Amino acid sequence: MGSRASSLLREEDIEEIKKETGFSHSQITRLYSRFHSLDKGENGALSREDFQRIPELAINPLGDRIINAFFPEGEDQANFRGFMRTLAHFRPVEDNEKNKDLTSGEPLNSRTNKLLFAFRLYDLDRDDKISRDELLQVLRMMVGVNISDEQLGSIADRTIQEADTNGDMCISFSEFIKVLEKVDVEQKMSIRFLH
Amino acid sequence: MSPFNNLLCMLLGISFTVWFTLLLVFIIVPAIFGLSFGIRGLYMKTPSCSLSGCIIAKEPTSLEEELKEIRRNGPSPSTSEFEMSDTFYFCRRGIESIVDDEVTKRFTAEELESWNLLTRSNYNFQHISTRLTVLWGLGVVIRYGFLLPLRLTLAITGVSLLVVFTTMIGFLPNGRVKHFLSEKVHLMCYRICVRALTAIITYHHSENKPKNGGICVANHTSPIDVIILASDGCYAMVGQIHGGLMGLIQKSMVKACPHIWFERSEVKDRHLVAKRLSDHVKDKSKLPILIFPEGTCINNTSVMMFKKGSFEIASTVYPVAIKYDPRFGDAFWNSSKFGMVNYLLRMMSSWAIVCSVWYLPPMSRQEGEDAVQFANRVKAAIARQGGLVDLLWDGGLKRGKVKDTFKEEQQKLYSKILVGTQENRSRS
């Protein structure tokens, strides 16, 4: 798709990304091709507009929040490393973990990290708590204009009531994990990357 | 030194001969015998992802199915109210579309499995061997030194003859003679232009060729589509009047036989356009209209949304599918990257333009079918014949934003699942 795409990616970079994310060599080069084809400005980084140009993403109700996940705090350019790091969350969890040799904490695609990705979709201000407002915002994004404020409010209240164990009217990350402990996160938050 | 020089000369000589023989075998001989490369077979098998392989395998589950599955093991599976895991579906779909989507790849040239020795198709193929580079160098010499000047001369001849003859015919009174001469002149000049591009065209099912009073619709990949179709039959062209050389050609063409050219201001007026088209179609002595309902050039791997305008006019539609073989030269015009002149030069310095044209049986709007449904039916037939992916997306997404209505549909669907029958009752 892009011209001379793979020649801009050095072998050392590929090795580092491989270690950090667990993607294979061919997956990384193909994803780099994709990254390059999205990068209309050809400056080696993606802006929010580059993501918005994908029609299927633009019509996704949570599109803006998903795009947000690719941009670290306060920045508005996503480089290839960041791009891969975010995508790595959606790698399927294999039984024979290739990246068990990762010394720095858990692999990016562990259950906890997948849940953290989902948590951050709600928690816009990154204060590690989902407040009632934040929950309402996401609900509103998903339902559009089809449900009234009152009804949405009561749905939000009910959800917080069920999840909140320490009574602070917010959902912390551990409460979030507890609520979803029976959900098959590994399968639902994974994409089948082909080799 | 000397024996080495001899060896080099010999090698070059052999490569040259081999190369020319290949050219002969692959292009000229099959064209003479009307053989097919099995283009159709190849493209029928191509999956919807690019030739260099799929990146991901997408899950085809719907929102409803997915939510049911996620909630089955969740805290409260019986109620249909909100669960925090509902976001997972949208998340995954969003990330899938970031990695691979159906639309953005339609507006850039198709990737090839193996290099065809054109620099422009050199995406991921780095320096493989010296021999290949030598062959490539040879290719450049042949293409730019021999083929391009030859083709340019042919093109200039073709266009000049078209302008001169059509202007001359314009002086004749309307009648059978004028019509006959106009047809011959148009066909002759388009055929010269076809040679100018070294276009090897295979026409299938010529018994279905468009007739007077009908509308011919085809998928659009490049301006060359017009030349390809018009060299096999006579059509009335539809389009906007341009300035410069293009405008000159358009003005002289319309002297010989009625084409439908619009001023830029008139293009916006849908009623005016529709009226002129229907008037033309009602007159059975006038040639069939040639229209490209996608409205823009797509890269020939898919057919995108057909604009319903041409399908609202009451007449028979003759669908035509055009499929190019990208191995000899990619015909797709990426208008955001290349201007027209640049594009034509690239076309004339490729190996050849190889394509297949299928004339499909005529279709008419059925009872109870509206223009959009009819357009989609025609589009599906064209896509199926040409081995192209049938997409609902609008080709206008090349430049414009997607409409919010699609997002609203998804939101509506989710809301229904969330609140279920309760909502329906309170709404009614």
Side-chain angles (χ1 to χ4, degrees):
Chain A
M1 300 240 182
S3 54
R4 322 270 190 275
S6 48
S7 55
L8 296 174
L9 191 64
R10 299 170 307 171
E11 278 302 317
E12 312 95 71
D13 293 330
I14 299 183
E15 282 307 309
E16 280 180 43
I17 296 176
K18 208 169 166 181
K19 276 206 209 80
E20 192 180 3
T21 61
F23 282 115
S24 72
H25 193 285
S26 61
Q27 287 171 339
I28 295 174
T29 41
R30 263 194 261 129
L31 285 167
Y32 187 75
S33 242
R34 173 66 175 170
F35 177 84
H36 192 90
S37 72
L38 291 173
D39 180 14
K40 289 283 185 277
E42 302 220 341
N43 57 347
L46 295 177
S47 66
R48 286 198 165 81
E49 288 77 43
D50 287 325
F51 282 101
Q52 291 281 2
R53 226 174 272 122
I54 305 172
E56 288 167 31
L57 187 62
I59 65 169
N60 189 315
L62 294 180
D64 287 330
R65 290 294 168 96
I66 297 169
I67 294 174
N68 241 14
F70 284 88
F71 294 89
E73 283 278 358
E75 287 182 35
D76 53 345
Q77 292 283 317
N79 61 15
F80 185 58
R81 290 290 283 272
F83 182 72
M84 292 302 280
R85 219 176 287 132
T86 314
L87 286 182
H89 285 92
F90 286 82
R91 273 188 61 238
V93 180
E94 301 117 3
D95 293 287
N96 49 337
E97 278 291 339
K98 277 189 286 196
N99 44 352
K100 267 217 156 63
D101 54 336
L102 258 173
T103 47
S104 51
E106 289 179 39
L108 285 165
N109 63 335
S110 70
R111 185 191 165 90
T112 318
N113 276 323
K114 285 183 198 284
L115 283 167
L116 189 61
F117 186 94
F119 184 79
R120 290 231 171 99
L121 228 69
Y122 289 99
D123 183 20
L124 202 58
D125 58 6
R126 298 286 170 95
D127 63 353
D128 290 325
K129 288 202 292 275
I130 303 177
S131 67
R132 184 178 185 271
D133 271 334
E134 286 172 336
L135 184 57
L136 269 174
Q137 274 179 40
V138 172
L139 274 168
R140 185 49 78 192
M141 287 174 91
M142 290 202 285
V143 306
V145 299
N146 299 296
I147 297 185
S148 67
D149 280 331
E150 301 89 56
Q151 215 168 1
L152 218 59
S154 62
I155 292 175
D157 287 328
R158 212 203 96 245
T159 312
I160 294 183
Q161 205 176 26
E162 287 187 0
D164 188 19
T165 49
N166 66 351
D168 62 351
M169 302 306 267
C170 286
I171 305 178
S172 70
F173 186 48
S174 42
E175 287 163 354
F176 186 73
I177 297 180
K178 189 86 186 25
V179 167
L180 298 174
E181 67 185 344
K182 293 218 192 73
V183 175
D184 188 2
V185 177
E186 288 87 338
Q187 214 247 319
K188 294 304 164 191
M189 289 282 273
S190 292
I191 301 179
R192 267 196 293 155
F193 287 95
L194 300 175
H195 296 286
Chain B
M1 260 274 270
S2 187
F4 179 72
N5 262 351
N6 271 347
L7 189 64
L8 196 63
C9 283
M10 218 163 58
L11 280 174
L12 277 175
I14 293 176
S15 314
F16 199 72
T17 322
V18 165
W19 189 251
F20 240 25
T21 319
L22 283 173
L23 202 76
L24 209 74
V25 167
F26 275 119
I27 294 182
I28 301 174
V29 171
I32 295 175
F33 292 103
L35 288 175
S36 154
F37 287 108
I39 297 172
R40 181 181 171 182
L42 177 70
Y43 285 105
M44 286 305 221
K45 292 191 216 104
T46 305
S48 61
C49 44
S50 74
L51 280 172
S52 71
C54 296
I55 308 183
I56 52 174
K58 292 200 183 172
E59 300 288 332
T61 48
S62 73
L63 174 59
E64 273 196 77
E65 288 170 23
E66 188 96 358
L67 287 184
K68 275 210 199 90
E69 265 188 65
I70 303 179
R71 285 173 176 186
R72 202 182 302 135
N73 304 322
S76 38
S78 51
T79 64
S80 58
E81 286 232 12
F82 173 69
E83 296 295 340
M84 298 210 78
S85 52
D86 285 352
T87 54
F88 289 7
Y89 174 80
F90 294 111
C91 242
R92 211 191 65 225
R93 277 303 168 98
I95 300 282
E96 274 177 358
S97 65
I98 290 176
V99 175
D100 187 20
D101 78 299
E102 280 300 322
V103 183
T104 54
K105 60 190 178 192
R106 309 294 172 190
F107 302 129
T108 53
E110 200 179 344
E111 274 186 45
L112 292 171
E113 257 181 46
S114 53
W115 195 29
N116 62 353
L117 293 177
L118 295 173
T119 325
R120 60 198 69 143
S121 332
N122 185 357
Y123 304 117
N124 297 319
F125 307 110
Q126 295 111 336
H127 179 90
I128 298 174
S129 73
T130 330
R131 189 178 48 185
L132 208 59
T133 319
V134 168
L135 273 178
W136 170 76
L138 217 57
V140 170
V141 167
I142 298 177
R143 285 188 291 122
Y144 283 91
F146 172 63
L147 292 176
L148 182 60
L150 178 68
R151 289 173 179 166
L152 264 179
T153 328
L154 279 172
I156 296 174
T157 318
V159 171
S160 329
L161 283 179
L162 182 67
V163 172
V164 166
F165 280 144
T166 46
T167 319
M168 279 167 53
I169 293 176
F171 290 119
L172 292 173
N174 284 346
R176 201 126 34 105
V177 178
K178 181 177 188 184
H179 192 89
F180 175 73
L181 279 178
S182 155
E183 250 183 62
K184 291 297 168 225
V185 162
H186 272 104
L187 277 175
M188 177 189 81
C189 297
Y190 282 121
R191 285 187 180 144
I192 297 180
C193 288
V194 162
R195 297 285 172 275
L197 293 165
T198 317
I200 320 279
I201 313 168
T202 321
Y203 296 98
H204 302 265
H205 305 302
S206 296
E207 68 270 12
N208 291 325
K209 253 198 259 193
K211 302 193 177 54
N212 281 9
I215 300 182
C216 174
V217 303
N219 58 316
H220 202 25
T221 306
S222 106
I224 294 177
D225 293 341
V226 175
I227 300 177
I228 287 178
L229 288 179
S231 61
D232 192 46
C234 291
Y235 299 95
M237 312 283 172
V238 179
Q240 210 183 302
I241 293 212
H242 291 93
L245 178 64
M246 199 65 222
L248 176 66
I249 300 174
Q250 286 177 318
K251 287 200 192 80
S252 52
M253 276 169 71
V254 82
K255 288 196 187 110
C257 76
H259 297 285
I260 307 177
W261 303 127
F262 291 102
E263 300 289 336
R264 183 161 293 203
S265 50
E266 290 174 326
V267 172
K268 296 276 164 68
D269 187 347
R270 297 259 292 277
H271 288 292
L272 178 68
V273 171
K275 181 151 193 329
R276 277 185 74 177
L277 289 176
S278 348
D279 286 345
H280 183 108
V281 153
K282 285 204 194 88
D283 186 348
K284 295 294 177 205
S285 71
K286 294 204 176 135
L287 299 167
I289 306 179
L290 178 58
I291 289 187
F292 297 101
E294 281 165 310
T296 186
C297 293
I298 312 292
N299 77 347
N300 209 231
T301 57
S302 67
V303 184
M304 298 189 100
M305 187 182 95
F306 275 5
K307 302 212 188 311
K308 63 181 177 167
S310 7
F311 298 91
E312 282 167 338
I313 302 165
S315 103
T316 334
V317 167
Y318 294 88
V320 176
I322 307 176
K323 179 70 185 147
Y324 291 88
D325 186 346
R327 288 175 299 180
F328 293 93
D330 195 318
F332 169 58
W333 182 30
N334 191 342
S335 48
S336 36
K337 245 181 156 182
F338 310 112
M340 173 73 93
V341 178
N342 198 335
Y343 168 72
L344 285 174
L345 282 176
R346 284 161 71 92
M347 283 301 102
M348 289 197 246
S349 59
S350 309
W351 294 116
I353 308 288
V354 180
C355 66
S356 280
V357 175
W358 287 275
Y359 293 106
L360 297 169
M363 296 169 121
S364 322
R365 186 138 58 113
Q366 284 167 355
E367 283 290 328
E369 203 180 33
D370 71 359
V372 176
Q373 290 165 329
F374 181 38
N376 284 337
R377 193 160 59 92
V378 174
K379 174 159 70 78
I382 293 181
R384 205 174 347 174
Q385 180 67 75
L388 306 162
V389 177
D390 185 2
L391 293 178
L392 290 171
W393 295 99
D394 187 352
L397 290 171
K398 195 191 216 173
R399 296 210 175 80
K401 286 210 144 111
V402 65
K403 289 201 214 124
D404 280 330
T405 43
F406 293 108
K407 191 193 274 201
E408 285 157 18
E409 274 172 36
Q410 290 205 57
Q411 289 169 329
K412 210 184 277 186
L413 187 61
Y414 178 65
S415 309
K416 259 207 214 130
I417 296 172
L418 197 58
V419 195
T421 50
Q422 203 177 23
E423 231 230 331
N424 290 341
R425 239 183 284 139
S426 60
R427 273 277 161 100
S428 62

